[in-house]
Amino acid sequence: MEQDITIKITDRDGVTHEVQAPTDMAMNLMEVVRSYELAPEGTIGICGGMAMCASCQCYVKSDHELPEMGDDEEAMLAEAFYVEDNSRLGCQIQMTPDLEGLEVELAPES
Ligand code: FES
């Protein structure tokens, strides 16, 4: 269990959840949100994590250094609604030990 990190996820109702995420299971942030059922089924992860739906968009609140956006992610966010400067696609953020303490907020459903 030492591989787990603690992250804070604020759901679409504004409630913040502190959750543990494993870093050794190749999980991404969208999958963590789904595994804790922090967004209703069918409202997140619609494309299955292919950077093609933006249902997993979230705002990064902490100042963690995240991996750079890929072209697909950038293109998707260029078309999505409610995009802010700190928007990222949750499915493109892999859970790694250096994300300990990450804080994100789920973007509104679009
Ligand atoms: S799950 Fe579709 S873009 Fe992330």
Side-chain angles (χ1 to χ4, degrees), residues 23-43:
T23 57
D24 55 355
M25 288 176 61
M27 256 183 135
N28 63 51
L29 182 59
M30 174 273 281
E31 292 166 331
V32 173
V33 173
R34 285 178 63 136
S35 69
Y36 284 99
E37 297 179 2
L38 300 182
E41 192 61 43
T43 68

Side-chain angles (χ1 to χ4, degrees), residues 6-24:
T6 302
I7 61 179
K8 282 189 187 164
I9 302 171
T10 302
D11 67 22
R12 291 172 180 146
D13 297 323
V15 181
T16 301
H17 307 261
E18 199 173 278
V19 303
Q20 313 290 319
T23 57
D24 55 355

Side-chain angles (χ1 to χ4, degrees), residues 30-88:
M30 174 273 281
E31 292 166 331
V32 173
V33 173
R34 285 178 63 136
S35 69
Y36 284 99
E37 297 179 2
L38 300 182
E41 192 61 43
T43 68
I44 186 163
I46 294 167
C47 74
M50 308 289 289
M52 285 170 60
C53 72
S55 67
C56 63
Q57 185 191 167
C58 57
Y59 306 123
V60 179
K61 301 285 183 182
S62 50
D63 51 11
H64 284 74
E65 211 160 298
L66 295 173
E68 266 185 51
M69 281 196 211
D71 292 345
D72 293 347
E73 180 176 6
E74 219 164 310
M76 192 62 241
L77 283 174
E79 287 173 20
F81 295 104
Y82 311 114
V83 174
E84 307 280 349
D85 288 346
N86 57 350
S87 287
R88 292 295 301 254

